[in-house]
Amino acid sequence: MSTEQTALPADNFFNQGGKGLMSWLTTTDHKRIGLLYMYSIAIFFSVAVILGLLMRLELIAPGKTIMEASTYNKTFTLHGVIMIFLFIIPGIPAVFGNFFVPLLMGADDVAFPRLNLMSWYLYIIGAAIALSTLVFGEGSADTGWTFYAPYSVKTGTNVSTSVFAAFVLGFSSILTGLNFLTTIHRMRAPGMGWFDMPLYLWSTYATSWIQILATPIIGITLLMIIAERALGVGLFDPSLGGDPILYQHLFWIYSHPAVYIMILPAMGVVSEIIPVFSRRRMFGYKAIAFSSLAIAFVGYLVWGHHMFTSGMSGPARIIFSILTFLVAIPSAIKVFNWLATLNKGSIDLQPPLLYSLGFIFLFLIGGLTGLVNGALATNTHIHDTAFIVGHFHYVMFGGTGFGFFAAMHYWFPKMYGRMYNIKRATRAFWVTFIGFNILYFPMFILGLEGMPRRYYDYLPEFQGWQVVSTVGSWILVTGLIMMFVNIIRGARKGKPAGDDPWNGYTMEWETSSPPPLENFHQAPVFKKPTYED
Amino acid sequence: MNETITSHAVHRDDEASKIGMWLFLFTELLLFGGLFLVYTIYRHLNSAAFANAAGELSVLFGTINTIVLITSSLTIALSISAIKNNNAKRAKIMLWLTLIFALIFMINKYFEWSAKIHHGLFPGMEHFMSLPPGEGLFFLLYFFMTGLHAFHIIAGSIFIAVVIAQLNKSKITQDDYVLQENAGLYWHLVDVIWIYLFPLFYLIH
Amino acid sequence: MENNHSHSISDKTYIFIWVSLLILTFLSVEASFVHFRAFAVGVALFIATAKAFIVAYYFMHLKFDSKIIGIMVLVTGIVFLTFIILTFFDYGFREPIV
Amino acid sequence: MFSNASSFVEGVDIAFFIIIGISLVFLVGITAAMIYFVIKYNKKRHPKAEPTKDNFQLEIFWTVIPTLLVLGMFYYGWVGYRPMRIIPKNAIPVKVTAKMWSWSFEYENGKWDSLLIVPVNKPVKLELFSPDVLHSLYIPAFRVKEDVVPGIANVMWFKAQKEGTYNILCAEYCGQRHSYMLSKVKVLSQKEYEKWYNAKDTLAEKMMPGEILMKKQACIACHSTDGSKLVGPSFKGLYGSKVTVLVNGEKKEIIADDEYIKNSILDPNSEVVEGFPQGIMTNYSGQISEDEIKQFIEYIKTLKDD
């Protein structure tokens, strides 16, 4: 890093505000906090990927391959908990949101910088608690990341600790959302009205509202699980007047909107990238902005589709099915607007756009198979099968994951002031993309054939596609390694990228790369961007 | 909570602090909201048992505590209007009164809880376990919700104590009292939650 | 600085509000001794909501704050009500538990 | 076109093909459009982008069309699903008990089996019962699934239309041996079914009462009778042997006698054999009578070490 340092502007936030670990651990600079999140998320993501690889390896053949059933159950639980609570939910908002929300609106920081740092500490504490279950006590929970009662109340494994970790992480997520909402309300640069905001800010705004209003419900639900495990009083026990299905309601009241916490920021990223690389203003700006809010709101109304076979009442099944179909509409609107923006543009297929188009394709598959889940008849068949596993990996990993990678490749030169190797990035994309499809597509077929999820062992007739899927996991991981190696090399030795390598329009490109501590050299004033140059 | 209203930036934005506080209150509301949802469903499933169990609670205790909390809401509102009129002394007196009311509330609560625990109604105790289905849930929710509420009373009291300290240091003034306002918002929220807890647990039988 | 909240409530008004809250509390207690049967819950919640509204509107200054906060409160309330209503689509139509 | 193993297959599969069909049109169309745009409007060929003109009518168009399509999908989903909730009055009732980790099926005349045996072309109603945690009864070939929830009387029904044997799987995660919670549904002709239904219980002739009980109560899902180690200790050679148990965290050696076995059934977590998980076994007090426990012990006595 040192030899090339001269090529970058000297007054960047890496140099300013102190050096050394302590200066990072006590920073209130939103850019540094964003990077702190990025480094910690990268570590947890890798752990969860390894767990996923091990699970796939176990499933390559029926019967025991590399681990016992109990180990397998703990593995998929921990894989889920880490991926959901430590990677996908905080992923884009905490890394790119922290770094770019203030920059996109020409502000010098978020509204509550110290609170922002506290959120990161809560995140790390939560993560430490979650991972501590690996080492201490009776081992990590074996309930699945859904912690369904009554199993989660009965099992001897360390559910309380895992649940408490999720509680702490939820708190971190709430505070991040609170910070962004206030920032967006109060700190936009002079002249930037609500409908001048970059679309990423709209998606962050919608996401933050979900974080604020849905997360407390899971918090209290998880506390109830802890109380039930400690006191054993039958909070969800029907013989005492309780109801195990109520737990599922409470869990999904949060966890379904949480799906939109995961996907909306990725949609925002794609809405930033597509106009820049097709050299034209976003088609239907308002439609995209409003569809983000619509997704956030309708997202509160559809949780019941996780419970169509749970014994919920008939009318509830029907209502939730209709509402579920309605939530597809705003997503469809977004896709059409993205397409219309590409049409007649002047397209430059750089890695960020490539990842965005990959996002659209994978998200389409995820979203369209979601329609199969939303219909009552087909849901009955594929609920809790590998089809669902395929579906949500397409949405969560294909959608949010690829959105994350798109954001990483798009904003990387602004964050580090350097550029990664474009050719290698393209190559890594294709390996990742192909591996992804080989890994997850077979799950749809397995599910339709009747292979339930969370199965340690399976009937021999399922083996063919399981092998294909496992091979896919190796290709996918190869692609991921290629991508990260390229990114890390870029950060250390890449060529200086200049302030605006993509010729972007939004305010973050007006400042130097990496930005100075105070973000802008002089207080910026918002001007309507001129897109078509 | 203290964190939500501090900002390292040079510029001060009281409106931002207030919005931040309100957003925090929303999460608090929904935290209780989840419990209210559980209460509503379980009351629906066990209406007779809930009505029976509610008879065990003392309306008198509940009413006294309601009055105490409403009055404490008044005193903290008056303290804010005092600081607006640059009367720091009166503001402090009103805050102290609020703290005293909080203390009365907690003492009252202590006696109420110990009476229930004395009767073995605390979750896990022998008498509790032998209650008919539904009644146990009522007491469980009663302890859970009023306990969580009491926890918020303590948190709010600490918040108010911080405000008093800041007033003593003249860090809160006629021009800069958003911290005190936020303490007020928090305290009123605690009151609003109690306004719902009171009828749900003490009055409907 | 926009700290000068010129529009503030006089102490007299505050005391008037406090008295009305007390009256509502007594009303609520009294109502609980009249047996409204099915409406008991409704009456109790109605009075509680009236009290909560008064506290929010005057004590918490919603009356004078910028409109956006009022809208946020409304949105939060609607979201919470939605949770309850949709959950009741399940429990309201369940066959009795055995 | 459809397998028609049950009367629901057609409705479910039609809904599936309609949804997947429409989805494929969109997936292929959108992907093709993306590729086409990227090639046609590549900056080399098309160096200057045309300015964006918002088109409100187009926005309305692509809001309304998907809305109609998804409402149509909902409709077919509902049509395929509705019959699953309308249970014919003449359906044969079968009580299903799902326990960690086995299925058992009990018929009106008291007949019991670990397989579900049904006649072809007759509606069968399954009354689902679970004493421990959530399970879910899933017959992929019939396109039916319903959770088995402790304390809640869920029901499901189906009409098998083809003789044969089909898989039953547990689809709701229920712990360590979730993936082994399997069974079969055997669809017989009416004649064969009646023969089976009215036959004297052959099990009772072949097995000791304790052995039947053990199957009914799903003991063998966790405790083997051949010495292999499952979730709990094997019953083989258990009786009279010395076992090390943990009582309140302290090790203790005891002889597995009548008293110990009885206590292990009625209060399973007070003395857990070393090396086995705590809190897993269901408490059977109130579910098993004194006599049954005696039958049970008689049977265990016969499982001697070789």
Side-chain angles (χ1 to χ4, degrees), chain A residues 157-200:
Chain A
T157 54
N158 211 339
V159 175
S160 298
T161 314
S162 306
V163 157
F164 185 66
F167 179 79
V168 174
L169 291 167
F171 207 54
S172 160
S173 170
I174 288 175
L175 295 180
T176 305
L178 185 155
N179 223 331
F180 287 159
L181 282 183
T182 316
T183 309
I184 292 173
H185 268 280
R186 298 297 301 171
M187 297 180 71
R188 279 172 280 130
M192 186 191 270
W194 281 93
F195 289 107
D196 299 322
M197 290 200 311
L199 284 163
Y200 179 71

Short mmCIF file of all heavy atoms in Angstrom, two decimals, chain A residues 157-200:
data_model
loop_
_atom_site.label_atom_id
_atom_site.label_comp_id
_atom_site.label_asym_id
_atom_site.label_seq_id
_atom_site.Cartn_x
_atom_site.Cartn_y
_atom_site.Cartn_z
N THR A 157 -30.07 -28.27 23.00
CA THR A 157 -28.96 -27.44 22.52
C THR A 157 -29.13 -26.00 22.97
O THR A 157 -30.16 -25.62 23.50
CB THR A 157 -28.86 -27.49 21.00
OG1 THR A 157 -30.13 -27.14 20.47
CG2 THR A 157 -28.48 -28.87 20.51
N ASN A 158 -28.12 -25.21 22.65
CA ASN A 158 -28.02 -23.87 23.22
C ASN A 158 -28.86 -22.85 22.46
O ASN A 158 -28.33 -21.91 21.87
CB ASN A 158 -26.54 -23.47 23.20
CG ASN A 158 -26.23 -22.56 24.34
OD1 ASN A 158 -27.15 -21.94 24.89
ND2 ASN A 158 -24.98 -22.45 24.70
N VAL A 159 -30.18 -23.01 22.51
CA VAL A 159 -31.05 -22.11 21.76
C VAL A 159 -31.05 -20.71 22.36
O VAL A 159 -30.98 -19.71 21.63
CB VAL A 159 -32.48 -22.67 21.70
CG1 VAL A 159 -33.41 -21.70 21.04
CG2 VAL A 159 -32.50 -23.98 20.95
N SER A 160 -31.08 -20.64 23.69
CA SER A 160 -31.21 -19.32 24.33
C SER A 160 -30.10 -18.38 23.88
O SER A 160 -30.34 -17.20 23.61
CB SER A 160 -31.19 -19.46 25.85
OG SER A 160 -32.28 -20.23 26.26
N THR A 161 -28.88 -18.89 23.81
CA THR A 161 -27.76 -18.03 23.42
C THR A 161 -27.91 -17.56 21.98
O THR A 161 -27.74 -16.38 21.68
CB THR A 161 -26.43 -18.78 23.60
OG1 THR A 161 -26.45 -19.42 24.86
CG2 THR A 161 -25.27 -17.84 23.52
N SER A 162 -28.26 -18.47 21.08
CA SER A 162 -28.42 -18.10 19.68
C SER A 162 -29.51 -17.05 19.53
O SER A 162 -29.38 -16.08 18.79
CB SER A 162 -28.78 -19.31 18.83
OG SER A 162 -27.85 -20.33 19.02
N VAL A 163 -30.61 -17.28 20.26
CA VAL A 163 -31.74 -16.38 20.18
C VAL A 163 -31.36 -15.01 20.73
O VAL A 163 -31.72 -13.97 20.18
CB VAL A 163 -32.91 -17.01 20.97
CG1 VAL A 163 -33.89 -15.99 21.40
CG2 VAL A 163 -33.59 -18.07 20.13
N PHE A 164 -30.59 -15.00 21.81
CA PHE A 164 -30.16 -13.73 22.39
C PHE A 164 -29.27 -12.98 21.40
O PHE A 164 -29.36 -11.76 21.26
CB PHE A 164 -29.45 -13.96 23.72
CG PHE A 164 -29.09 -12.68 24.42
CD1 PHE A 164 -30.10 -11.84 24.88
CD2 PHE A 164 -27.77 -12.30 24.57
CE1 PHE A 164 -29.78 -10.65 25.50
CE2 PHE A 164 -27.45 -11.10 25.18
CZ PHE A 164 -28.46 -10.27 25.65
N ALA A 165 -28.43 -13.73 20.70
CA ALA A 165 -27.57 -13.11 19.68
C ALA A 165 -28.44 -12.41 18.64
O ALA A 165 -28.19 -11.26 18.27
CB ALA A 165 -26.68 -14.15 19.02
N ALA A 166 -29.47 -13.10 18.19
CA ALA A 166 -30.35 -12.50 17.19
C ALA A 166 -31.02 -11.25 17.74
O ALA A 166 -31.22 -10.26 17.03
CB ALA A 166 -31.40 -13.51 16.74
N PHE A 167 -31.34 -11.27 19.03
CA PHE A 167 -31.95 -10.11 19.68
C PHE A 167 -31.01 -8.91 19.63
O PHE A 167 -31.40 -7.80 19.25
CB PHE A 167 -32.29 -10.47 21.13
CG PHE A 167 -32.89 -9.36 21.93
CD1 PHE A 167 -34.23 -9.05 21.78
CD2 PHE A 167 -32.12 -8.62 22.81
CE1 PHE A 167 -34.80 -8.02 22.51
CE2 PHE A 167 -32.69 -7.58 23.53
CZ PHE A 167 -34.03 -7.28 23.38
N VAL A 168 -29.76 -9.12 20.00
CA VAL A 168 -28.78 -8.03 19.99
C VAL A 168 -28.58 -7.51 18.57
O VAL A 168 -28.54 -6.30 18.33
CB VAL A 168 -27.43 -8.52 20.59
CG1 VAL A 168 -26.37 -7.45 20.46
CG2 VAL A 168 -27.62 -8.92 22.04
N LEU A 169 -28.49 -8.44 17.62
CA LEU A 169 -28.29 -8.03 16.22
C LEU A 169 -29.49 -7.23 15.73
O LEU A 169 -29.34 -6.28 14.96
CB LEU A 169 -28.08 -9.27 15.35
CG LEU A 169 -26.75 -9.97 15.61
CD1 LEU A 169 -26.72 -11.34 14.95
CD2 LEU A 169 -25.59 -9.12 15.10
N GLY A 170 -30.68 -7.61 16.20
CA GLY A 170 -31.88 -6.86 15.83
C GLY A 170 -31.78 -5.43 16.32
O GLY A 170 -32.12 -4.49 15.61
N PHE A 171 -31.26 -5.26 17.51
CA PHE A 171 -31.12 -3.93 18.07
C PHE A 171 -30.16 -3.10 17.23
O PHE A 171 -30.41 -1.93 16.95
CB PHE A 171 -30.62 -4.06 19.51
CG PHE A 171 -31.03 -2.92 20.38
CD1 PHE A 171 -32.38 -2.58 20.48
CD2 PHE A 171 -30.10 -2.19 21.08
CE1 PHE A 171 -32.77 -1.51 21.27
CE2 PHE A 171 -30.49 -1.13 21.89
CZ PHE A 171 -31.81 -0.79 21.98
N SER A 172 -29.08 -3.73 16.82
CA SER A 172 -28.12 -3.04 15.96
C SER A 172 -28.78 -2.59 14.67
O SER A 172 -28.60 -1.46 14.20
CB SER A 172 -26.94 -3.98 15.67
OG SER A 172 -26.24 -3.57 14.55
N SER A 173 -29.59 -3.48 14.12
CA SER A 173 -30.28 -3.18 12.86
C SER A 173 -31.25 -2.00 13.04
O SER A 173 -31.32 -1.11 12.19
CB SER A 173 -31.00 -4.45 12.42
OG SER A 173 -31.85 -4.21 11.36
N ILE A 174 -31.96 -1.97 14.17
CA ILE A 174 -32.90 -0.88 14.44
C ILE A 174 -32.17 0.45 14.48
O ILE A 174 -32.59 1.43 13.87
CB ILE A 174 -33.62 -1.11 15.79
CG1 ILE A 174 -34.62 -2.26 15.67
CG2 ILE A 174 -34.32 0.15 16.25
CD1 ILE A 174 -35.28 -2.62 16.98
N LEU A 175 -31.05 0.48 15.20
CA LEU A 175 -30.34 1.75 15.36
C LEU A 175 -29.79 2.25 14.02
O LEU A 175 -29.79 3.44 13.74
CB LEU A 175 -29.22 1.60 16.39
CG LEU A 175 -29.72 1.30 17.80
CD1 LEU A 175 -28.55 1.17 18.77
CD2 LEU A 175 -30.67 2.38 18.29
N THR A 176 -29.35 1.30 13.17
CA THR A 176 -28.88 1.71 11.85
C THR A 176 -30.03 2.33 11.06
O THR A 176 -29.87 3.39 10.44
CB THR A 176 -28.33 0.48 11.09
OG1 THR A 176 -27.33 -0.13 11.89
CG2 THR A 176 -27.75 0.88 9.76
N GLY A 177 -31.19 1.69 11.11
CA GLY A 177 -32.34 2.21 10.39
C GLY A 177 -32.73 3.59 10.89
O GLY A 177 -32.99 4.51 10.11
N LEU A 178 -32.73 3.74 12.22
CA LEU A 178 -33.09 5.02 12.83
C LEU A 178 -32.15 6.12 12.35
O LEU A 178 -32.58 7.23 12.00
CB LEU A 178 -32.98 4.84 14.34
CG LEU A 178 -33.40 5.93 15.32
CD1 LEU A 178 -33.76 5.29 16.64
CD2 LEU A 178 -32.29 6.93 15.56
N ASN A 179 -30.89 5.79 12.29
CA ASN A 179 -29.88 6.75 11.86
C ASN A 179 -30.12 7.18 10.42
O ASN A 179 -30.09 8.37 10.09
CB ASN A 179 -28.52 6.07 11.97
CG ASN A 179 -27.48 7.00 12.56
OD1 ASN A 179 -27.59 8.21 12.41
ND2 ASN A 179 -26.51 6.44 13.24
N PHE A 180 -30.37 6.23 9.54
CA PHE A 180 -30.55 6.56 8.13
C PHE A 180 -31.82 7.39 7.92
O PHE A 180 -31.83 8.34 7.14
CB PHE A 180 -30.63 5.30 7.27
CG PHE A 180 -29.31 4.61 7.11
CD1 PHE A 180 -29.24 3.28 6.75
CD2 PHE A 180 -28.13 5.30 7.28
CE1 PHE A 180 -28.03 2.64 6.59
CE2 PHE A 180 -26.90 4.68 7.14
CZ PHE A 180 -26.85 3.33 6.79
N LEU A 181 -32.89 7.01 8.61
CA LEU A 181 -34.15 7.76 8.44
C LEU A 181 -33.94 9.23 8.80
O LEU A 181 -34.31 10.12 8.04
CB LEU A 181 -35.25 7.16 9.31
CG LEU A 181 -35.91 5.89 8.80
CD1 LEU A 181 -37.03 5.47 9.74
CD2 LEU A 181 -36.46 6.10 7.41
N THR A 182 -33.31 9.45 9.97
CA THR A 182 -33.10 10.83 10.38
C THR A 182 -32.17 11.53 9.40
O THR A 182 -32.39 12.69 9.04
CB THR A 182 -32.49 10.86 11.80
OG1 THR A 182 -33.20 9.92 12.60
CG2 THR A 182 -32.60 12.22 12.40
N THR A 183 -31.13 10.82 8.96
CA THR A 183 -30.19 11.43 8.02
C THR A 183 -30.91 11.85 6.75
O THR A 183 -30.73 12.97 6.26
CB THR A 183 -29.07 10.42 7.69
OG1 THR A 183 -28.54 9.91 8.91
CG2 THR A 183 -27.97 11.09 6.90
N ILE A 184 -31.73 10.95 6.21
CA ILE A 184 -32.40 11.27 4.95
C ILE A 184 -33.39 12.41 5.15
O ILE A 184 -33.54 13.28 4.29
CB ILE A 184 -33.09 10.01 4.38
CG1 ILE A 184 -32.03 9.00 3.95
CG2 ILE A 184 -34.00 10.35 3.21
CD1 ILE A 184 -32.57 7.66 3.52
N HIS A 185 -34.05 12.43 6.31
CA HIS A 185 -34.99 13.53 6.55
C HIS A 185 -34.30 14.87 6.68
O HIS A 185 -34.80 15.89 6.22
CB HIS A 185 -35.80 13.25 7.82
CG HIS A 185 -37.08 12.55 7.57
ND1 HIS A 185 -38.20 13.18 7.13
CD2 HIS A 185 -37.40 11.24 7.64
CE1 HIS A 185 -39.18 12.30 6.96
NE2 HIS A 185 -38.71 11.11 7.26
N ARG A 186 -33.14 14.89 7.33
CA ARG A 186 -32.60 16.18 7.77
C ARG A 186 -31.34 16.63 7.06
O ARG A 186 -30.98 17.79 7.18
CB ARG A 186 -32.31 16.12 9.28
CG ARG A 186 -33.52 15.89 10.13
CD ARG A 186 -34.53 17.00 10.04
NE ARG A 186 -33.96 18.29 10.43
CZ ARG A 186 -34.58 19.45 10.27
NH1 ARG A 186 -35.79 19.48 9.75
NH2 ARG A 186 -34.00 20.57 10.63
N MET A 187 -30.63 15.75 6.40
CA MET A 187 -29.27 16.15 6.00
C MET A 187 -29.03 16.20 4.50
O MET A 187 -27.89 16.23 4.06
CB MET A 187 -28.25 15.23 6.69
CG MET A 187 -28.32 15.40 8.20
SD MET A 187 -27.18 14.37 9.09
CE MET A 187 -25.63 15.15 8.70
N ARG A 188 -30.08 16.19 3.71
CA ARG A 188 -29.87 16.31 2.27
C ARG A 188 -29.26 17.66 1.95
O ARG A 188 -29.54 18.67 2.60
CB ARG A 188 -31.22 16.16 1.56
CG ARG A 188 -31.64 14.71 1.40
CD ARG A 188 -33.04 14.60 0.89
NE ARG A 188 -34.01 14.79 1.96
CZ ARG A 188 -35.03 15.62 1.90
NH1 ARG A 188 -35.24 16.33 0.81
NH2 ARG A 188 -35.85 15.74 2.91
N ALA A 189 -28.40 17.68 0.94
CA ALA A 189 -27.71 18.92 0.58
C ALA A 189 -28.75 19.96 0.19
O ALA A 189 -29.84 19.62 -0.29
CB ALA A 189 -26.78 18.66 -0.59
N PRO A 190 -28.41 21.23 0.40
CA PRO A 190 -29.35 22.28 0.02
C PRO A 190 -29.75 22.10 -1.45
O PRO A 190 -28.89 21.86 -2.30
CB PRO A 190 -28.54 23.57 0.20
CG PRO A 190 -27.39 23.21 1.07
CD PRO A 190 -27.17 21.74 0.97
N GLY A 191 -31.02 22.16 -1.71
CA GLY A 191 -31.49 22.05 -3.10
C GLY A 191 -31.95 20.66 -3.47
O GLY A 191 -32.57 20.48 -4.51
N MET A 192 -31.62 19.65 -2.63
CA MET A 192 -32.03 18.29 -2.99
C MET A 192 -33.40 17.99 -2.37
O MET A 192 -33.52 17.79 -1.17
CB MET A 192 -31.00 17.26 -2.52
CG MET A 192 -31.32 15.84 -3.00
SD MET A 192 -30.31 14.59 -2.21
CE MET A 192 -28.91 14.51 -3.31
N GLY A 193 -34.42 17.99 -3.20
CA GLY A 193 -35.76 17.67 -2.71
C GLY A 193 -35.93 16.17 -2.63
O GLY A 193 -35.05 15.40 -3.03
N TRP A 194 -37.09 15.73 -2.10
CA TRP A 194 -37.31 14.30 -1.97
C TRP A 194 -37.19 13.58 -3.30
O TRP A 194 -36.62 12.49 -3.39
CB TRP A 194 -38.69 14.01 -1.37
CG TRP A 194 -38.71 14.20 0.11
CD1 TRP A 194 -39.05 15.35 0.77
CD2 TRP A 194 -38.33 13.26 1.10
NE1 TRP A 194 -38.92 15.16 2.13
CE2 TRP A 194 -38.49 13.89 2.36
CE3 TRP A 194 -37.88 11.94 1.08
CZ2 TRP A 194 -38.22 13.25 3.55
CZ3 TRP A 194 -37.61 11.30 2.27
CH2 TRP A 194 -37.77 11.95 3.49
N PHE A 195 -37.72 14.20 -4.36
CA PHE A 195 -37.69 13.50 -5.64
C PHE A 195 -36.45 13.82 -6.46
O PHE A 195 -36.39 13.55 -7.65
CB PHE A 195 -38.98 13.78 -6.42
CG PHE A 195 -40.15 13.09 -5.80
CD1 PHE A 195 -41.11 13.80 -5.09
CD2 PHE A 195 -40.25 11.70 -5.85
CE1 PHE A 195 -42.16 13.14 -4.48
CE2 PHE A 195 -41.29 11.04 -5.25
CZ PHE A 195 -42.26 11.76 -4.54
N ASP A 196 -35.46 14.44 -5.80
CA ASP A 196 -34.14 14.56 -6.44
C ASP A 196 -33.19 13.52 -5.88
O ASP A 196 -32.07 13.39 -6.34
CB ASP A 196 -33.55 15.95 -6.17
CG ASP A 196 -34.44 17.05 -6.74
OD1 ASP A 196 -34.99 16.83 -7.82
OD2 ASP A 196 -34.59 18.09 -6.07
N MET A 197 -33.65 12.80 -4.86
CA MET A 197 -32.75 11.86 -4.20
C MET A 197 -32.38 10.73 -5.15
O MET A 197 -33.21 10.25 -5.90
CB MET A 197 -33.43 11.23 -2.97
CG MET A 197 -33.64 12.16 -1.84
SD MET A 197 -33.89 11.29 -0.29
CE MET A 197 -35.12 10.07 -0.63
N PRO A 198 -31.13 10.29 -5.10
CA PRO A 198 -30.77 9.08 -5.84
C PRO A 198 -31.66 7.92 -5.37
O PRO A 198 -32.06 7.87 -4.21
CB PRO A 198 -29.32 8.83 -5.45
CG PRO A 198 -28.80 10.14 -4.99
CD PRO A 198 -29.97 10.86 -4.40
N LEU A 199 -31.96 7.00 -6.29
CA LEU A 199 -32.91 5.93 -5.95
C LEU A 199 -32.41 5.03 -4.82
O LEU A 199 -33.20 4.43 -4.10
CB LEU A 199 -33.23 5.11 -7.20
CG LEU A 199 -34.19 5.86 -8.12
CD1 LEU A 199 -34.18 5.26 -9.50
CD2 LEU A 199 -35.59 5.82 -7.54
N TYR A 200 -31.07 4.95 -4.69
CA TYR A 200 -30.55 4.14 -3.59
C TYR A 200 -31.04 4.69 -2.25
O TYR A 200 -31.33 3.93 -1.33
CB TYR A 200 -29.03 4.09 -3.62
CG TYR A 200 -28.47 3.28 -2.48
CD1 TYR A 200 -28.62 1.90 -2.47
CD2 TYR A 200 -27.86 3.88 -1.39
CE1 TYR A 200 -28.15 1.14 -1.41
CE2 TYR A 200 -27.39 3.14 -0.33
CZ TYR A 200 -27.54 1.77 -0.34
OH TYR A 200 -27.10 1.03 0.72
#
